[in-house]
Amino acid sequence: MPGGNAPIEGHEAAPRWRHQGGGIGDPTAGPVAAGLWLFSAFLGMVAELAVPAGPGTSHLSTVVVGGVSIVGGTAIWFVPWGRWPRRALLCLVPLAFAFIGLNLRVANGNAYLYAITFLIVFVWIGLAQPSGTGLAFTPLLIVAYVVPVLGLDFRQSALGLASALYVVPCCVLVGEAVAWGMTLLRRSESALEESRERYMASFEEAPIGIALCSVDGTLLGVNRSYAAIFGAVPDEMKGRRVLDLTHPDDREATQAHLDALLAGDVDRCTLEKRYWPPGGREVWVSVSASCARDRAGRPLYLIAQVEDITERRALREQLAHEAVHDQLTGLPNRVMFMDRLERSLLDFSRGGRPVALMFLDLDRFKLINDGLGHDAGDRLLQRVGERLQDGLRTGDLLARFGGDEFTVLCQVDNSEEALRIARRLKAAMDPPLVGPDGEQFVDVSIGIALARSGTTDASTLLRQADVAMYRAKERVSEHIAVYSAGDQLLTVNSLQMSNDLHHALERLEFEMHYQPFVDLHTLTLVGLEALIRWRHPVRGMLLPGDFIPAAEDSGLIVPIGRWVIREACRQAAKWARERELVHQDGHRLNVAVNVSAKQLADPLFQPSLSEALEESGFGSDQLWLEVTEGIILHDPDAAAAAMRELRNLGVHIAIDDFGTGYSSLSYLKRLPVEILKIDRSFIDQLDQDPDDRAIVRAIMALGDSLGLAVIAEGVERSSQAAELSSLGCNVAQGFLYGRPLPPSSIGECPTDDLTGWLAGVHLTPV
């Protein structure tokens, strides 16, 4: 809990020695010199007064000389020594010696006091000057010591000269020893001061907050980084309590950490908490604190390092949120949903409420993506997420699972409650979604899976809901389905079917059957429709309705479709070479092949078709390609472009199952279509239902007006054929004229008259 600009309380600033030797340039030299003057003068006065005055002297003279020294020493105290050069002291030393000599005279030649005074002077030099200065003053010392004693009587002079042999070296050695000691002392003080200044600089300039805190939680000192957290300066923080600065929700945890630290339970504590600056926003900080103790282990104060982690924590929380939420819709994502699902199933296994999982898929979402663009699709998904959320109860979890798929997790008592929630979600999607891209009506298919006793596997429950969702898509009315055990069997069968289809392509288990088109008036052969069959090694002969949907879902319809076209062209060319099958009107045999939407969208479809025609030698003008009306309505522009490319190859285009598209017929005039095949649903009751008769009549009129040929499929009774003929339909197809047969059952044309051949292949009415 960090420090200020001033020294920390209890730590006064130490003197700042900046030189290595001392002297006049040293700010402390003046006080030291003045002190020595005063001390030596006072000592001389005391000594002279203590010794009986000799002849010709008096105590008064000694007091006068000492008093002058005291006045001089006092004056020296006020001299600005820091501004004087070092050599100025050299001028004072001879003056000092002169005073010493005068003192000798006044003291009536007391040699003992005289020697002691010289020793004091050299101690003074050692204290104030670097090493070697006392040695340099040795000649002056000798002169100053010897000359005054020469004026005394012979005995005293002899004693003074003899004592010089001891006093002079003694004064120099003592002075040099003092100078050496002072040098060491000043160097130590300088090192201590520099260390303290480095510590204070580190404390003040530290990029993270540092604080000293008393054991009762009061701030003793803080640095600028700590004060900046609160928008204050260090001095303003002193005396404030740490708990008062802490967010109320974090005070209890903070106090618990401080108590553990003071009690010695931990050596260091680290925690993340919030500060609450007065009138400001809360600040998240990371605090690392330790306790300073005395030798007995008693806590003295706390030291803390505090770092502002508000931005880092916000980024961490953002990343954590994004890890479990969908960035587009803001809803929980797959990771969070699966975690909640697993926990809910665990609670259920321990006796909690049953769990329902709903899998939602947007119907025809790809049309919006392709028609309006992915940006519009993204905006739609956002609005769908909001609409679905509004349709849920509090506590239900909605997640975006991926793409246009959403999942819902809720607790229900039974399947009826789950169905009510699903219907509420369906009702929420009934109103159009209004946005910058206009109005869009979006419907959803919902599959529901209920956790039952023993169901604790989240992936299994999710798979069941997914299976139910695909079954819901097949329901025209409600598009809601609850998973049942039979659904899994259908899924397994579908997966097995997909695997078998891969092997069927490798093993060439497919074969082609052909069903004739007949001229209703002459009962002559017009063409053959190539229909694929699968001779399954286990299930026997399978019709297209048994496996084509699986081929569509698995993507195998494209390679299967290529094989169909190649095989149909090869067989038709073979028939043409073996026997020129020519109609009475001179037209050659035509072959029709069904084409799926995925085939039409395949960029390799046209090249593969050209290759099949070229390899077989079959004429392109004898090949009919049948496409359903639904393919055209899915994307009319793309379908028109693909059909025009096919027409450029010379093949003919027919619309299969015509009349079931429930859409505008304006696309017909934009497409290179030549034939309309009336769907069998309109032929089934043609001879009994006036409405069907009216529809067929309308289609015939449409074909006549646009110049399109019309073929009726699904003709099974002669009464149907009679009605078609009366309505102007010329060509028909159906069991009345023959079932689809393999090439080996059709045989060869025996005569140029096709009537016999038609009878041989069961084309005559039965």
Side-chain angles (χ1 to χ4, degrees), residues 121 279 355 440 696:
V121 169
V355 176
Q440 279 126 28
V696 172

Side-chain angles (χ1 to χ4, degrees), residues 734-748:
F735 290 169
L736 178 64
Y737 304 107
R739 296 176 179 274
L741 296 174
S744 58
S745 298
I746 292 178
E748 298 181 354

